[in-house]
Amino acid sequence: MTTATAVGRQPSRRRKRGLVGAAVLSVAALTIWLVVGWDHIVTPDVDDVGPVDAVFVIGPAETRMPHAMDLMGEAEASLLLSTTSVDPETGQPYPRDYCGLERAAYRIECVIPEPYSTTGEARLLGERAEAQGWSRVAVITSTPHAARTRLLMERCTDAEVLIWTVDDDRDLGGWAREFAYQSAAWVKTQVVRGC
């Protein structure tokens, strides 16, 4: 074997080692992402239903409201807050027949957070909890959104935050979309701190 041949093979071996190393790192990163994502998106911590000062259904609330109303007896709260969805073309809230509804034990108040996001909802909850002196609140969201919701809500209020979930039926594709979106949003929440 000549020196030229031996030298010619070395970059090829280095490149192979580099590709193997990159593949190992990629598999490790994917594994970590799946494990962390599974923990925070598929099987997050969800609290038991119990007495609270207020219940807040975050958007999109429309599909969650019937379940939220069913929980109000166990929640023993006198107020059910609901984010109202906004028409992206007009900026106007969609009318909902439950907004302003007065039940025997509680009333429903519809709100539009500013900004219209989970962060905006967390800020709104923090302001209301401070103004009303609430010490324990429940937030209703979907399972994939629960861990990020808890993190944001706890950043914005001193009140104890309970997370309750309501889920629509999701097929595998729906879970895959939620997993991708919520994991990216989780990373953003870790990077962008504060309320």
Side-chain angles (χ1 to χ4, degrees), residues 13 16 18 38 46-47 61 65 67 70 84-85 103 110 118 120 124-125 132 154 159 161 170 172 180 188-189 195:
R13 285 185 188 161
K16 285 180 185 177
W38 186 270
V46 176
D47 299 297
M65 283 302 289
H67 185 69
D70 289 344
T84 302
S85 295
R103 299 280 185 163
C110 293
T118 308
L124 187 145
L125 180 64
Q132 301 296 319
E154 287 178 347
V161 176
R170 277 187 195 82
L172 188 57
K188 178 184 174 188
T189 303
C195 177

Side-chain angles (χ1 to χ4, degrees), residues 44-183:
D45 290 333
V46 176
D47 299 297
D48 293 331
V49 176
V52 293
D53 296 315
V55 175
F56 187 19
V57 183
I58 64 173
E62 292 77 15
T63 59
R64 300 173 185 155
M65 283 302 289
H67 185 69
M69 289 185 214
D70 289 344
L71 294 176
M72 290 302 288
E74 288 180 75
E76 299 177 14
S78 61
L79 178 64
L80 173 58
L81 286 175
S82 171
T83 295
T84 302
S85 295
V86 175
D87 184 330
E89 292 181 20
T90 66
Q92 296 298 308
Y94 291 112
R96 297 293 171 219
D97 59 355
Y98 52 77
C99 294
L101 186 65
E102 298 267 345
R103 299 280 185 163
Y106 67 92
R107 66 186 170 84
I108 300 174
E109 182 181 331
C110 293
V111 294
I112 301 174
E114 183 59 43
Y116 191 78
S117 65
T118 308
T119 300
E121 290 169 322
R123 289 176 185 157
L124 187 145
L125 180 64
E127 291 165 4
R128 294 297 289 273
E130 183 177 353
Q132 301 296 319
W134 297 335
S135 61
R136 192 169 200 232
V137 295
V139 179
I140 298 178
T141 189
S142 67
T143 296
H145 193 221
R148 188 165 65 92
T149 297
R150 182 185 304 277
L151 180 62
L152 289 168
M153 298 295 167
E154 287 178 347
R155 283 182 184 170
C156 294
T157 182
D158 291 331
E160 178 186 2
V161 176
L162 303 181
I163 299 296
W164 301 340
T165 58
V166 175
D167 286 303
D168 300 323
D169 291 330
R170 277 187 195 82
D171 60 11
L172 188 57
W175 271 105
R177 284 188 297 278
E178 282 291 330
F179 195 90
Y181 176 83
Q182 293 297 341
S183 60

